[in-house]
Amino acid sequence: MTLVSSTLVALAIAFIVLAAVLAAVSVGVIADFVVTNRRSRLARRESFRSYYRGLVASH
């Protein structure tokens, strides 16, 4: 049986917490981007899929 050092456990917990926070921020940024572009997408009468496919292809 091996013992895991408490420093390693603390670093693992910090990594998991940081990953969760970054995931939540990423979801928020993507949601804001989608909501911001909704008006122009509807003005062009484009579907969700065709509008964002055009954005991806333009890069």
Side-chain angles (χ1 to χ4, degrees), residues 14-34:
F15 178 78
I16 291 170
V17 168
L18 181 64
V21 169
L22 289 176
V25 169
S26 296
V27 167
V29 167
I30 291 170
D32 182 50
F33 180 75
V34 169

Side-chain angles (χ1 to χ4, degrees), residues 2-57:
T2 60
L3 295 176
V4 179
S5 96
S6 59
T7 305
L8 184 61
V9 171
L11 286 174
I13 291 172
F15 178 78
I16 291 170
V17 168
L18 181 64
V21 169
L22 289 176
V25 169
S26 296
V27 167
V29 167
I30 291 170
D32 182 50
F33 180 75
V34 169
V35 168
T36 302
N37 290 322
R38 183 177 189 272
R39 184 171 289 154
S40 64
R41 181 178 62 83
L42 292 179
R44 294 179 185 178
R45 297 179 184 263
E46 289 185 85
S47 70
F48 187 86
R49 179 176 280 176
S50 65
Y51 180 78
Y52 287 105
R53 184 180 331 131
L55 284 179
V56 169

